[in-house]
Amino acid sequence: METIQIRTFLEKDFEAVQQLNEKEGWSGLVERGEETLCSWLNSEPALVAVVDHELVGFLRGLTDGSITLYICDLLVKESFRNQGIAEKLIQTAHECYPSTRVEMLASTKSEGYYVHQGYRSFYGFRKSAEEM
């Protein structure tokens, strides 16, 4: 495998991020493009994984810098999965805030990956903006 570069998200990366969102079926993020870009520009950490100048994965997080690092979005292009890219994105994000715990939501599709990586499940609730 080529060398994986993990770096900070740049606005010029947004089109590639949206292409991965669309391919994954995350249509809400694609349809709300302006809000999605705003979320990226206001998130910390916001990281991308690049292989041979191709954006192949990303992580968008929120943190208080001390207690919690919440991973909002984590996605790796299907043809690049099982190569340690997601783990490297999470590790890099956590290195920015090493005293924080890491929390994230997972789908039933990705649950097995997180359990295999040693994450514990926890219980939470969600309402969309439209439901408020």
Side-chain angles (χ1 to χ4, degrees), residues 68-120:
T68 304
L69 168 59
Y70 176 70
I71 307 299
C72 305
D73 301 313
L74 175 63
L75 183 59
V76 174
K77 185 176 181 176
E78 193 167 1
S79 60
F80 284 84
R81 292 179 186 167
N82 300 309
Q83 298 179 32
I85 296 172
E87 184 177 354
K88 194 166 187 172
L89 282 162
I90 295 169
Q91 178 184 4
T92 302
H94 192 249
E95 286 171 359
C96 296
Y97 306 97
S99 68
T100 59
R101 64 184 176 218
V102 176
E103 295 183 352
M104 65 189 82
L105 293 177
S107 65
T108 54
K109 184 176 166 184
S110 62
E111 179 182 10
Y113 169 80
Y114 295 112
V115 169
H116 181 73
Q117 296 295 319
Y119 289 89
R120 300 180 307 277

Side-chain angles (χ1 to χ4, degrees), residues 2-128:
E2 315 298 328
T3 302
I4 304 164
Q5 177 192 12
I6 305 295
R7 64 166 173 77
T8 300
F9 166 82
L10 303 171
E11 192 168 345
K12 69 178 185 167
D13 299 321
F14 187 64
E15 184 178 330
V17 165
Q18 286 291 72
Q19 288 173 359
L20 288 178
N21 284 334
E22 186 169 25
K23 182 89 171 161
E24 191 66 18
W26 294 357
S27 58
L29 296 174
V30 175
E31 292 165 6
R32 297 177 63 186
E34 191 173 312
E35 291 99 337
T36 302
L37 174 59
C38 185
S39 74
W40 273 91
L41 295 174
N42 289 292
S43 294
E44 175 59 36
L47 304 170
V48 295
V50 178
V51 175
D52 276 346
H53 307 290
E54 177 186 2
L55 191 147
V56 299
F58 61 76
L59 177 148
R60 186 177 70 83
L62 297 171
T63 186
D64 55 27
S66 300
I67 303 296
T68 304
L69 168 59
Y70 176 70
I71 307 299
C72 305
D73 301 313
L74 175 63
L75 183 59
V76 174
K77 185 176 181 176
E78 193 167 1
S79 60
F80 284 84
R81 292 179 186 167
N82 300 309
Q83 298 179 32
I85 296 172
E87 184 177 354
K88 194 166 187 172
L89 282 162
I90 295 169
Q91 178 184 4
T92 302
H94 192 249
E95 286 171 359
C96 296
Y97 306 97
S99 68
T100 59
R101 64 184 176 218
V102 176
E103 295 183 352
M104 65 189 82
L105 293 177
S107 65
T108 54
K109 184 176 166 184
S110 62
E111 179 182 10
Y113 169 80
Y114 295 112
V115 169
H116 181 73
Q117 296 295 319
Y119 289 89
R120 300 180 307 277
S121 65
F122 67 99
Y123 189 69
F125 297 92
R126 173 187 273 175
K127 258 190 185 182
S128 69

